[in-house]
């Protein structure tokens, strides 16, 4: 079977990571959550109280980001620390647009992502995978959904984890993160010319997975 590269880009909470994880398992691909890597950089910035990109990078070079299979799915490690949950807190989420807009941080992360992609068949989700990280990807999907639906999904997810959340505030935050991610100068969130636009509003995860897998299997 051919080793394929699948790029899934799109705005926050459009379902990218959920579908990418399922497809990775079904098709035997490596799954790389690039958003988690920018979240780690943001966590480092907050914990080390610095916005100096070179200091953040140096910290990560000394405490490399790695992924492991845990009981509840993929876990994110920085050095030996398990940061899977702390990188999803509101504090990190609300600061991530600023840190992920830094050129040096992006160059560092893109190089890491490209290095990981050389290991074999891969499905990566993010904002700039089809445009910058894997411009040669065999299959590119740009996954979108309405702000209301995305906020409701995140709301339910938070409730199930016991995180108190205000739905209206979530809508404002999601729209604001979209705006920041799409208007930043370096690698803004943008559909690659050769990407397939897929709107997940009103669709089930299963339907989205099936659509992408059908296309992927033809390329393998
Ligand atoms: O997918 P996510 O919400 O976990 O991503 C967190 C942030 O990281 C998001 O606000 C945009 C940024 N990001 C990015 O700039 N480029 C990527 N490839 C992935 C995420």
């Amino acid at each position: 079977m051919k080793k394929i590269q699948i790029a899934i880009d799109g705005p926050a909470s459009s379902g990218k990571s959920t579908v990418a994880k399922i497809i990775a398992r079904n098709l035997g691909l490596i799954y790389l959550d690039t958003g988690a890597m920018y979240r780690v950089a943001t966590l480092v910035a907050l914990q080390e109280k610095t916005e100096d990109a070179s200091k953040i990078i140096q910290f990560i070079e000394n405490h490399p980001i790695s992924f492991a299979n845990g009981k509840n799915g993929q876990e994110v490690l920085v050095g030996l620390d398990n940061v899977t949950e702390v990188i999803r807190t509101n504090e990190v989420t609300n600061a991530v647009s600023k840190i992920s807009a830094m050129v040096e941080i992006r160059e560092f992360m893109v190089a890491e992502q490209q290095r990981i992609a050389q290991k074999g068949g891969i499905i990566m989700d993010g904002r700039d995978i089809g445009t910058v990280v894997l411009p040669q990807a065999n299959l590119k999907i740009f996954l979108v959904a309405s702000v209301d639906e995305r906020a409701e999904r995140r709301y339910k997810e938070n409730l199930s984890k016991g995180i108190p959340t205000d739905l209206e505030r979530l809508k404002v935050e999601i729209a604001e993160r979209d705006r920041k991610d799409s208007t930043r100068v370096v690698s803004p969130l943008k559909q690659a010319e050769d990407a397939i636009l897929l709107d997940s509003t009103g669709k089930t995860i299963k339907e989205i997975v099936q659509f992408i897998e059908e296309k992927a299997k033809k390329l393998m």
Side-chain angles (χ1 to χ4, degrees):
M1 245 196 286
K2 201 175 132 195
K3 281 183 184 157
I4 60 162
Q5 294 184 330
I6 305 177
I8 306 205
D9 290 300
S13 305
S14 62
K16 302 181 298 292
S17 67
T18 307
V19 299
K21 278 179 203 157
I22 300 171
I23 297 167
R25 202 181 51 220
N26 291 350
L27 303 185
L29 303 171
I30 299 168
Y31 163 61
L32 185 65
D33 175 357
T34 64
M37 299 171 77
Y38 291 99
R39 286 174 180 274
V40 165
T42 307
L43 179 70
V44 170
L46 293 169
Q47 286 185 340
E48 299 296 303
K49 298 188 172 47
T50 181
E51 288 190 357
D52 180 337
S54 58
K55 288 203 177 118
I56 298 170
I57 291 168
Q58 197 180 29
F59 186 97
I60 297 172
E61 276 172 341
N62 292 334
H63 307 82
I65 302 173
S66 60
F67 297 88
N69 289 323
K71 279 198 303 287
N72 300 317
Q74 197 173 67
E75 293 183 343
V76 187
L77 306 174
V78 180
L80 296 176
D81 282 346
N82 187 331
V83 297
T84 314
E85 285 177 10
V86 68
I87 59 168
R88 307 277 161 203
T89 55
N90 283 340
E91 198 190 0
V92 171
T93 301
N94 292 331
V96 69
S97 294
K98 185 167 185 188
I99 303 299
S100 63
M102 295 177 174
V103 184
E104 298 97 315
I105 298 279
R106 298 206 71 83
E107 282 173 354
F108 176 79
M109 294 299 180
V110 169
E112 282 287 294
Q113 291 154 10
Q114 290 173 336
R115 190 179 55 74
I116 295 168
Q118 282 171 4
K119 293 184 182 168
I122 194 160
I123 180 162
M124 250 189 230
D125 79 311
R127 305 292 188 286
D128 59 341
I129 311 305
T131 50
V132 178
V133 182
L134 302 176
Q136 308 301 328
N138 310 80
L139 179 60
K140 299 181 184 179
I141 304 289
F142 197 74
L143 192 61
V144 299
S146 69
V147 170
D148 282 5
E149 177 144 337
R150 288 186 283 144
E152 269 155 37
R153 285 179 196 165
R154 192 47 63 95
Y155 179 72
K156 285 186 193 148
E157 195 181 311
N158 286 358
L159 279 193
S160 71
K161 290 183 188 157
I163 305 170
T165 310
D166 179 300
L167 179 62
E168 291 311 310
R169 180 151 170 213
L170 212 51
K171 287 181 189 171
V172 173
E173 284 173 0
I174 286 180
E176 177 61 9
R177 202 138 67 91
D178 281 359
R179 190 189 64 74
K180 286 186 186 158
D181 290 345
S182 322
T183 56
R184 70 174 175 225
V185 181
V186 220
S187 305
L189 168 67
K190 194 170 121 240
Q191 183 180 344
E193 274 177 22
D194 50 352
I196 300 168
L197 177 66
L198 192 53
D199 188 342
S200 71
T201 312
K203 291 203 176 71
T204 63
I205 291 166
K206 203 171 159 197
E207 286 171 322
I208 302 290
V209 167
Q210 260 173 5
F211 177 89
I212 300 174
E213 281 188 0
E214 260 170 41
K215 302 242 174 260
K217 281 180 187 157
K218 286 188 192 142
L219 299 164
M220 288 175 94

